[in-house]
């Protein structure tokens, strides 16, 4: 699968294991659509693989947003889990 997912209560968690390309876009959108229509979640969370997603990833997020609006399920989109915070110099 292009999209990973898990269900926690009525929350559907989706994650992109990598940034999507044009070749992955349609398959990812269809997978998400099938999951949303099958599970009918109360909320949806999408976790991106990168800080600066590709246009194909944005396209899939836009389609997911429209589907979530249709299902009255709030959507949240978060960045990658392993984003390192900037190192600040120690006080002298």
């Amino acid at each position: 699968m292009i999209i990973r997912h898990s269900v926690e209560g009525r929350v559907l968690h989706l994650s992109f294991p990598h940034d999507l390309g044009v070749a992955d876009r349609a398959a990812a959108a269809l997978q998400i659509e099938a999951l949303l229509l099958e599970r009918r979640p109360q909320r949806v969370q999408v976790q991106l693989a990168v800080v600066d997603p590709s246009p194909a990833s944005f396209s899939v997020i836009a389609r997911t947003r429209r589907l979530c609006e249709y299902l009255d399920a709030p959507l949240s989109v978060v960045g990658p889990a392993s984003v390192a915070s900037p190192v600040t110099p120690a006080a002298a």
Side-chain angles (χ1 to χ4, degrees), residues 1-64:
M1 287 186 88
I2 295 172
I3 301 298
R4 292 185 187 145
H5 75 281
S6 64
V7 178
E8 186 177 321
R10 295 283 317 265
V11 179
L12 177 62
H13 298 275
L14 304 169
S15 65
F16 296 3
H18 57 81
D19 200 22
L20 300 176
V22 174
D24 299 330
R25 181 179 60 196
L30 287 174
Q31 287 176 359
I32 291 171
E33 180 178 354
L35 286 167
L36 288 173
L37 294 176
E38 175 187 336
R39 302 284 183 173
R40 301 277 180 174
Q42 286 182 340
R43 289 185 331 134
V44 178
Q45 179 179 339
V46 176
Q47 183 172 15
L48 301 174
V50 295
V51 175
D52 187 19
S54 67
S57 291
F58 276 121
S59 174
V60 171
I61 292 167
R63 185 167 177 180
T64 303

Side-chain angles (χ1 to χ4, degrees), residues 62-85:
R63 185 167 177 180
T64 303
R65 182 186 61 84
R66 288 190 300 273
L67 286 166
C68 286
E69 286 176 355
Y70 172 76
L71 296 172
D72 291 325
L75 170 68
S76 61
V77 180
V78 297
S82 61
V83 174
S85 59

